[in-house]
Amino acid sequence: MTEKRIRAKERDAIIQSLKSGVTPKIGIQHIQVGRVNELKAMIQDIKRIEDGGAAFRLIIGDYGSGKTFFMSVVRAIALEQKFVTLHADLSPDRRVHGTNGQAKSLYSELMKNMSTRNKPDGNALTSVVEKFVTQVQKEADSIGNSVEQIIHQRLAAISEMVGGYDFAKVIEAYWKASEQDDEQLKACAIKWLRAEYSTKTEARNDLGVRTIIADASFYDALKIMSLFVRQAGYSGLLVNLDEMVNLYKLTNTQARKSNYEQILRILNDCLQGNAEYIGFLLGGTPEFLLDPRKGLYSYEALQTRLADNNFAKQAGVIDYSSPALHLANLTPEELYILLKNLRHVYASGDSSKYLVPDDSLTAFLVHCSQIIGDAYFRTPRNTIKAFLDMLAVIEQNPEISWQQLLESVEVEEEKASDIEIECEDDDDLTGFRL
């Protein structure tokens, strides 16, 4: 069987990302291992969204355990299924509920990171709107109706939603701008859709609309967007929100409670069928969920909906249909496969260029186990970084043997950081293979 080479761009992106402790943006398929049941559950969710339903999942795992990586893999699967995906990390000034622009800021970030299969790196909003406009023009030409009539028909359901009337008006303005080659008006329409207007007056002057997307309309605007991407010919909308632990860290009790109320509203809508063609993936640590004082469990209505399935607990199995999905630890065997994958990526997919033999992988894992115990496969981020550092030294100094290096390899146990956002990077990496 011929080996498939890995492009230099992909190889470098994977290695540089993993060495700095963040999830690679491309090439994640080369390093996937494990977590098959969790992925099967997520693929069912994706199908449900495509069929007009909604999905809500909390992806719960320790720092460095692979939450962000897992969410990236689900995102990649959704993109393959012709979904539009949105993703953003929460931070002190980006939340699901806010009164000083925090929710609006999160919405803008999500729109900036909008991705499609053709534009997986973000900034896909304009192309989604363009696709809608093109389809409308084709339909108008084929049945002899005016474009305005078709736009009104297509967006009728959206116009009836909260904030939907002005949304439809902005899309119409974009079409008129396309007809007249008015780049300025096009830019204004995209600016409105990205929630970048700060005053209603400015939006009214530019586009003739009376509202703007603000803190209060964060979730309603996402529901409108899910229906709009369907009209543009996509399967649905997947919203990835990571670093949810930032809500847990809010010192203001009322602010925290308001954010949890917003999460409850989203959860209720998804479970009761009030939302269509939309899915939410929220990544957080166990304390964000379980802490009875400051976590989601401190809010009683959420605790009852997110509590573990007692029957599953008694039987010693996992209920993969639960809204809170606790990521299973990678097994030592899966971590061994992951190291093999990393060695393969490092050699650009050429097995004749492997820097270390199979024996070294086993020896490396034993070494990690002796230094930090079980944590080396529960939170494998630091184990991966150490392994790549070792390969880098061997590549630059071929005279040094892996046995020599292994004695000096230091692997730290992953620790949760209390420092705000920058240091508490949940971008994790562990892989899976379906």
Side-chain angles (χ1 to χ4, degrees):
M1 197 174 81
T2 55
E3 288 184 337
K4 194 177 175 202
R5 294 285 189 266
I6 295 166
R7 295 203 320 270
K9 182 185 169 188
E10 270 189 311
R11 174 199 179 271
D12 295 345
I14 293 168
I15 289 165
Q16 283 163 11
S17 300
L18 296 183
K19 279 181 80 170
S20 56
V22 298
T23 298
K25 281 209 165 67
I26 57 170
I28 48 180
Q29 70 277 12
H30 298 302
I31 48 175
Q32 292 175 32
V33 294
R35 305 236 162 99
V36 175
N37 291 327
E38 289 94 334
L39 279 174
K40 277 183 184 162
M42 297 313 306
I43 290 165
Q44 280 181 328
D45 282 1
I46 287 170
K47 284 182 179 151
R48 189 183 310 124
I49 298 164
E50 204 172 341
D51 291 339
F56 178 97
R57 294 280 187 167
L58 283 164
I59 309 298
I60 302 297
D62 288 314
Y63 288 91
S65 64
K67 287 186 299 302
T68 304
F69 192 96
F70 180 79
M71 290 165 75
S72 297
V73 171
V74 176
R75 222 182 101 233
I77 294 168
L79 288 174
E80 280 304 307
Q81 298 301 316
K82 285 178 106 176
F83 268 67
V84 173
T85 67
L86 309 173
H87 64 278
D89 289 354
L90 271 70
S91 68
D93 59 350
R94 286 205 294 260
R95 306 177 202 157
V96 291
H97 178 278
T99 46
N100 291 320
Q102 297 98 333
K104 183 181 167 200
S105 169
L106 178 60
Y107 188 85
S108 293
E109 183 69 10
L110 286 168
M111 289 302 122
K112 194 175 84 184
N113 295 332
M114 181 183 277
S115 303
T116 59
R117 192 163 60 175
N118 294 334
K119 295 198 82 170
D121 295 330
N123 283 320
L125 180 60
T126 307
S127 59
V128 170
V129 178
E130 286 280 357
K131 191 175 175 194
F132 172 78
V133 168
T134 310
Q135 285 193 341
V136 166
Q137 281 172 324
K138 272 187 194 160
E139 195 181 328
D141 292 344
S142 67
I143 60 173
N145 277 10
S146 73
V147 173
E148 272 140 310
Q149 271 180 307
I150 306 290
I151 288 179
H152 289 160
Q153 281 167 16
R154 289 277 203 103
L155 301 183
I158 288 176
S159 297
E160 289 163 18
M161 295 170 73
V162 177
Y165 177 77
D166 280 340
F167 183 96
K169 221 170 165 184
V170 169
I171 298 297
E172 204 176 324
Y174 188 93
W175 166 70
K176 284 178 180 161
S178 297
E179 289 292 283
Q180 296 154 11
D181 284 332
D182 186 341
E183 293 302 322
Q184 178 67 34
L185 184 57
K186 268 191 191 179
C188 289
I190 295 298
K191 182 181 174 183
W192 189 94
L193 293 169
R194 278 186 161 186
E196 286 169 0
Y197 273 101
S198 45
T199 66
K200 291 177 185 176
T201 312
E202 199 186 346
R204 189 164 69 241
N205 291 342
D206 288 352
L207 294 157
V209 292
R210 295 186 173 278
T211 60
I212 56 173
I213 296 169
D215 280 340
S217 48
F218 169 79
Y219 175 49
D220 291 315
L222 285 177
K223 285 207 286 189
I224 289 170
M225 189 55 76
S226 71
L227 294 187
F228 177 69
V229 300
R230 275 296 290 193
Q231 288 298 332
Y234 294 95
S235 304
L237 187 69
L238 183 70
V239 184
N240 271 14
L241 298 173
D242 205 356
E243 302 285 6
M244 296 299 289
V245 75
N246 277 289
L247 301 183
Y248 169 77
K249 286 180 171 183
L250 289 174
T251 48
N252 184 318
T253 311
Q254 186 51 50
R256 203 168 53 239
K257 190 181 172 199
S258 300
N259 274 276
Y260 290 173
E261 276 170 0
Q262 180 78 292
I263 291 172
L264 177 66
R265 183 186 166 203
I266 295 170
L267 173 61
N268 284 343
D269 266 9
C270 291
L271 296 184
Q272 292 165 356
N274 294 336
E276 293 177 295
Y277 302 109
I278 193 167
F280 289 87
L281 283 192
L282 279 54
T285 55
E287 62 266 29
F288 159 69
L289 174 67
L290 304 170
D291 188 321
R293 208 168 47 85
K294 288 169 65 186
L296 290 178
Y297 272 24
S298 66
Y299 195 76
E300 205 173 325
L302 279 169
Q303 185 178 354
T304 52
R305 287 162 178 77
L306 300 173
D308 284 343
N309 180 333
N310 282 329
F311 293 105
K313 227 177 191 174
Q314 282 167 1
V317 294
I318 297 169
D319 174 13
Y320 292 103
S321 66
S322 162
L325 197 60
H326 295 261
L327 287 190
N329 295 332
L330 285 184
T331 63
E333 292 76 21
E334 285 166 347
L335 196 53
Y336 175 76
I337 295 168
L338 177 57
L339 293 189
K340 277 182 87 167
N341 290 349
L342 291 171
R343 177 182 67 173
H344 193 65
V345 168
Y346 211 95
S348 301
D350 182 351
S351 56
S352 66
K353 291 185 180 166
Y354 286 172
L355 293 171
V356 290
D358 287 357
D359 299 354
S360 69
L361 309 184
T362 317
F364 182 83
L365 290 177
V366 169
H367 175 77
C368 292
S369 175
Q370 286 166 350
I371 294 178
I372 58 171
D374 288 350
Y376 81 96
F377 64 86
R378 275 207 321 275
T379 52
R381 173 163 45 191
N382 283 341
T383 306
I384 291 165
K385 282 158 76 172
F387 181 68
L388 290 173
D389 286 343
M390 184 176 92
L391 291 184
V393 173
I394 291 172
E395 184 182 38
Q396 292 161 45
N397 308 277
E399 72 282 358
I400 299 177
S401 74
W402 62 266
Q403 288 96 335
Q404 279 174 276
L405 279 179
L406 207 51
E407 291 160 21
S408 61
V409 167
E410 286 187 20
V411 186
E412 292 175 20
E413 187 170 352
E414 190 77 40
K415 286 190 173 61
S417 155
D418 290 327
I419 301 165
E420 279 303 341
I421 197 77
E422 290 87 17
C423 300
E424 160 235 291
D425 210 339
D426 236 22
D427 285 327
D428 333 287
L429 6 110
T430 355
F432 338 121
R433 181 179 293 128
L434 271 175

